[in-house]
Amino acid sequence: AKFSLIIFQTDWQKLDVFHSFIYRLEKNRIAVIPNGISLPNLPSKEMHIETNDATLRVINVGSVYARKRQADLAIVIEKIAQDTAISCKFIGDLQHANTFGPEFIHYINKKLPCHEWAGIVPHEQIHTELANANLFCFPSGDESFPLAPLEAASVRIPVILADLAPYGLIGWK
């Protein structure tokens, strides 16, 4: 109540998540300003999965920790890779990977050929990696305003997301 203006990224945050804290405030003290994304200067491609490449290239972008559920994706990719040419590149900070438990760290350290745990990479490189992928997959358990799926869609690769409340409010066309 002490702030002159409270800014949210989505109506979902304003109306659902924080409503019980702000419903008594005057409407002019609350604003919704969505995060923007900078569109990469890359050639656009049709939004479909390329089949002329031998390996289906899946990408996941986001800090690696339990809420983001990369362990689930890694296990699925490993199972699919038993009879299909598929790989998944995981881009994101690994410092909280231990939130999955110690067995997950051992799993990452196995360095399976169907996984690449890239860690943090420069943002410009992420755009290039997205453009070279066939599919973006982000099975996160919760989000407030994820930018990586929007960036993936901006380079026209198919996006697979968990069914989370904010996804319908983040700027999809």
Side-chain angles (χ1 to χ4, degrees), residues 55-106:
T55 302
L56 180 67
R57 294 176 319 276
V58 179
I59 190 166
N60 174 277
V61 179
S63 296
V64 177
Y65 59 97
R67 286 184 1 195
K68 306 298 180 182
R69 299 184 54 209
Q70 287 99 337
D72 294 340
L73 177 59
I75 291 166
V76 167
I77 295 291
E78 179 187 10
K79 288 182 181 181
I80 293 172
Q82 292 174 8
D83 60 16
T84 302
I86 189 170
S87 66
C88 186
K89 185 172 217 169
F90 297 87
I91 296 176
D93 191 347
L94 294 166
Q95 82 174 16
H96 298 294
N98 61 346
T99 60
F100 288 104
E103 65 281 349
F104 184 68
I105 301 301
H106 295 299

Side-chain angles (χ1 to χ4, degrees), residues 16-72:
D16 293 348
V17 179
F18 296 102
H19 179 75
S20 64
F21 297 105
I22 64 169
Y23 71 96
R24 291 186 178 141
L25 298 177
E26 299 96 31
K27 301 288 186 226
N28 65 344
R29 294 183 54 208
I30 300 167
V32 174
I33 302 174
N35 271 352
I37 61 167
S38 58
L39 296 177
N41 193 11
L42 296 170
S44 183
K45 58 184 177 181
E46 293 297 316
M47 189 172 287
H48 69 279
I49 297 175
E50 301 285 337
T51 56
N52 56 354
D53 192 355
T55 302
L56 180 67
R57 294 176 319 276
V58 179
I59 190 166
N60 174 277
V61 179
S63 296
V64 177
Y65 59 97
R67 286 184 1 195
K68 306 298 180 182
R69 299 184 54 209
Q70 287 99 337
D72 294 340

Side-chain angles (χ1 to χ4, degrees), residues 81-163:
Q82 292 174 8
D83 60 16
T84 302
I86 189 170
S87 66
C88 186
K89 185 172 217 169
F90 297 87
I91 296 176
D93 191 347
L94 294 166
Q95 82 174 16
H96 298 294
N98 61 346
T99 60
F100 288 104
E103 65 281 349
F104 184 68
I105 301 301
H106 295 299
Y107 186 75
I108 289 176
N109 290 334
K110 286 184 354 185
K111 301 204 184 300
L112 297 173
C114 58
H115 298 152
E116 181 181 346
W117 300 93
I120 297 172
V121 301
H123 198 72
E124 300 77 29
Q125 183 181 338
I126 292 173
H127 286 301
T128 303
E129 296 289 351
L130 286 169
N132 290 326
N134 303 112
L135 188 65
F136 176 90
C137 187
F138 197 61
S140 185
D142 70 42
E143 289 296 329
S144 61
F145 197 95
L147 296 179
L150 289 173
E151 292 175 332
S154 76
V155 294
R156 298 221 176 271
I157 64 170
V159 175
I160 298 175
L161 303 170
D163 186 15

